[in-house]
């Protein structure tokens, strides 16, 4: 790999000729690579072959203008007809997104499942990690209250999935009614089976 990066050449196993490569290498990492090199956890020679024009991509909390377009794109993938309420938009922009884009996608997908209709409201937005301003308030909630809320929302999701499976002629139709992909529905069904939840037999296929 070091030679390929340096010389832009490769030789196939057993071949007699060198192949010249016309390529551009783009490498990414969520680690501080100079610090990793200093700590001996990343090869220094590889680092210098890759670090020709380093670019830093700011975390999502520093790119608030990107939050809403990314959220709407994610929502379109899971529930094409759904929209965010004004209050939900304000809450999305307020959150500091410690999990960056992956967290954003998770929150939007979860909201698309919990929403009763086309409108995604604040009550449908459940964050993996709270915004800094809300952590002190969240810490005052007892474990029992928090666990009860999570269980309630979990039960609601299960009910909606089972209802869709029992009232539509196919998995594709059920997924469409839920506003999720068939792949996501298959994952949820497999998870429910693992938990011992009975799936309607007539809708297994």
């Amino acid at each position: 790999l070091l030679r390929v990066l340096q010389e832009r050449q490769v030789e196939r196993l057993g071949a007699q000729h060198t192949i010249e490569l016309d390529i551009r290498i783009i490498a990414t990492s969520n680690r501080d690579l100079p610090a990793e090199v200093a700590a001996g956890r990343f090869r220094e020679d590889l680092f210098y072959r890759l670090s020709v024009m380093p670019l830093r991509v700011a975390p999502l909390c520093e790119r608030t203008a990107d939050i809403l377009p990314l959220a709407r794109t994610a929502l379109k993938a899971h529930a094409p007809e759904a929209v965010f309420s004004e209050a939900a938009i304000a809450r999305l922009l307020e959150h500091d997104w410690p999990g960056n884009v992956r967290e954003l996608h998770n929150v939007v997908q979860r909201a698309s499942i919990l929403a009763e209709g086309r409108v995604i409201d604040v009550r449908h937005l459940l964050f993996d990690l709270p915004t800094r301003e809300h952590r002190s308030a969240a810490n005052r909630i007892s474990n029992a209250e928090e666990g009860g809320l999570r269980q309630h929302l979990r039960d609601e999701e299960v009910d909606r999935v089972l209802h869709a499976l029992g009232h539509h002629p196919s998995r594709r139709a059920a997924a469409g009614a839920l506003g999720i992909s068939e792949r996501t529905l298959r994952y949820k069904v497999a998870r429910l089976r693992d938990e011992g939840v009975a799936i309607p037999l007539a809708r297994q296929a």
Side-chain angles (χ1 to χ4, degrees):
L1 178 59
L2 293 172
R3 180 186 173 192
V4 170
L5 293 172
Q6 182 69 34
E7 305 296 336
R8 297 294 197 272
Q9 296 177 340
V10 295
E11 293 178 2
R12 292 183 177 137
L13 186 63
Q16 302 295 320
H17 304 286
T18 298
I19 300 174
E20 301 288 339
L21 301 178
D22 182 12
I23 59 175
R24 176 175 295 174
I25 305 296
I26 301 175
T28 66
S29 176
N30 62 356
R31 303 290 184 90
D32 182 346
L33 291 186
E36 294 294 298
V37 170
R41 292 188 293 265
F42 194 89
R43 288 187 57 148
E44 184 176 12
D45 48 4
L46 177 58
F47 171 74
Y48 284 116
R49 282 171 172 82
L50 291 172
S51 185
V52 176
M53 181 60 69
L55 300 173
R56 177 184 177 271
V57 179
L60 195 55
C61 63
E62 298 178 16
R63 296 183 286 125
T64 54
D66 292 342
I67 293 174
L68 193 54
L70 289 170
R72 284 174 170 157
T73 298
L75 184 60
K76 186 176 181 181
H78 298 292
E81 302 300 320
V83 295
F84 293 109
S85 70
E86 291 299 321
I89 290 174
R91 185 69 181 90
L92 289 170
L93 295 175
E94 179 187 54
H95 190 63
D96 59 7
W97 302 107
N100 284 300
V101 177
R102 286 191 182 92
E103 182 190 2
L104 176 63
H105 276 263
N106 287 347
V107 168
V108 171
Q109 182 177 1
R110 188 179 302 136
S112 71
I113 295 170
L114 296 176
E116 299 85 357
R118 293 180 61 251
V119 179
I120 305 296
D121 206 353
V122 172
R123 66 182 182 276
H124 305 130
L125 300 176
L126 302 181
F127 298 93
D128 299 323
L129 295 172
T131 301
R132 282 188 294 269
E133 300 87 68
H134 292 77
R135 284 171 192 157
S136 59
N139 288 337
R140 293 194 294 269
I141 300 174
S142 69
N143 290 334
E145 290 173 333
E146 185 175 352
L149 175 60
R150 290 182 181 277
Q151 186 60 48
H152 171 74
L153 294 171
R154 167 64 176 158
D155 292 343
E156 182 177 343
E157 177 185 351
V158 171
D159 289 344
R160 288 173 62 83
V161 169
L162 294 179
H163 181 272
L165 290 171
H167 289 78
H168 291 84
S170 67
R171 288 275 174 83
R172 176 175 296 179
L178 290 168
I180 60 177
S181 66
E182 286 187 78
R183 180 179 180 182
T184 299
L185 181 58
R186 285 196 299 270
Y187 167 77
K188 291 183 179 299
V189 169
R191 187 178 63 182
L192 291 175
R193 284 204 189 97
D194 291 341
E195 295 173 0
V197 177
I199 305 298
L201 293 176
R203 310 297 177 180
Q204 296 267 338

